[in-house]
Amino acid sequence: MLNKKYAYRLEFMLVASALIVFFLIGRMFYLQIIKGSYYSRQAEGNRTRYTRILAPRGIIYDCNGEELANNQPGFMVSLAHRNTGYRDETIERLSELVHIPVDKIKETINLHGGSAEPIRIVRNAPPDVVAKVEENLRYLPEVQPVRTYPNKELAVHALGYVGEVSEYEIEQGVYENLKAGDIIGKFGLESYYDKYLRGTDGSYREEVDVNGRVIQVMDKVEPKPGQGLVLTIDAKLQRITEAAVDRQLKAIGARGAAVVVLDPNNGEIKALVSRPGFDPNWFVNGISEKNWNYINTDPFHPMTDKAIAGEYPPGSTFKIVTGSAALEEKKVTPDELIFDSGRHWLVDMRNAGGEALGWINFKRALSASDNVYFYEMGNRLGIDLLDQYAEKFGFGKKTGIDLHGEASGLIATPAYKKKVFEDEWYLGDTFNTAIGQGFTLATPMQVAEMLAAVATDGKRYKPHLVSKIINDDGSVAERFEPQEEGSLPVPQKTLDLIQD
């Protein structure tokens, strides 16, 4: 009986031992065969560290080779990646070192996602911060290219600025291959030509010990710098133009203005000014609250490029359109005399200064910018013909300049007034349109393009800011030739009258 009892126990122990052995074998098979590659990567990740090498953006030059946007070496502070996350005291200590709120650091960590790369916390850190960071091996100070605008505000609305790509931009698919924190062009040429300027990042792996010290660098791939831009802008002329605009604004007590200097023979923009301006360097490392408040609360909107996005009545420049239309439609001859008594005889609308020029012909009326004469041209033409010629002269549509954010302007029509103001169209509205006032709106760029076409015997060239894209070695990758976009709908004899 006793032997039988022990036999049962022995059988139980043998079965239990067999089950345990089978379980261990199965577990080993699962860990080493099925999940082997996964844990191999995990182990590799614990002893190696992957880091991207940021590619320097392409340099932007003026037409004479002066650097308008370049890169300077700067220290970036990163947080070494940890699969297990970060203790609160670690983040608090980092916050003290780099003077960034804890919440902001946590937000940056969350945006980083599951990438094994170091998490960039500060770009272009000052020397005192770098010195403190180097004492803490869990934080990684490293050199990176920092975008710099050596002339500060000079041509800022043409150059633009750079900043970190937002999570929203990534989610929208605009920058699907980038990660939160990567640098992109945000405004101006930096944005329009971003895909050329950005370049391709490099990378390397570091073998580290348990304390995070680097043992060796492996698998290094050098970054490919972005391509450069050679602009049509002449930096010397840009400085002269900006200084002249600033003097004039100061003299009249104003702050808002826009100037376009355009070569009529090819459409090259030689200078582009919008006031007020701002320093694009503010955005490179993250704009301060003080500067951000200045930009957002200024009623004159420093970040609006008024040369292409500001819409204003074209004023007396529109009289060229009105006069050309009247001559082409045979509503007046160059020598016909019209009496200017200081006011129009159908509607009590007068010259701006109250002057009365008496009997005047087309040439005298245009040179004196006489309102009464062009009121009468509007009366003879009617609003429909005025609108047709306004469109033919380039109003009401974008010029196509190589900048984002260009406005179309507005051609005044009875339908527009009815829709927006719920009012009828009157003869006085036609008179206002004829002298470039009222509902008609144009950007300074549109007016510059129109006047350039008049100066070149009717040839219209597309305005542009970049003459060529160059590679890092200086070779030309792409050259932009002048683009002729048709001609003005008037014969040479009419253009001669206007030019004279």
Side-chain angles (χ1 to χ4, degrees), residues 29-47:
F29 178 82
Y30 174 78
L31 293 175
Q32 295 187 18
I33 305 301
I34 297 177
K35 300 289 288 185
S37 59
Y38 169 78
Y39 287 110
S40 176
R41 289 193 300 270
Q42 289 288 90
E44 179 71 9
N46 287 332
R47 72 179 186 88

Side-chain angles (χ1 to χ4, degrees), residues 435-479:
I435 64 167
Q437 299 295 336
F439 304 110
T440 300
L441 298 174
T443 67
M445 187 63 66
Q446 288 173 324
V447 174
E449 184 191 35
M450 183 270 287
L451 294 174
V454 172
T456 53
D457 296 335
K459 291 181 180 179
R460 296 179 57 194
Y461 290 96
K462 182 179 179 179
H464 60 283
L465 284 158
V466 175
S467 63
K468 54 188 174 182
I469 298 173
I470 59 175
N471 297 316
D472 185 48
D473 60 4
S475 60
V476 177
E478 187 173 355
R479 193 181 302 273

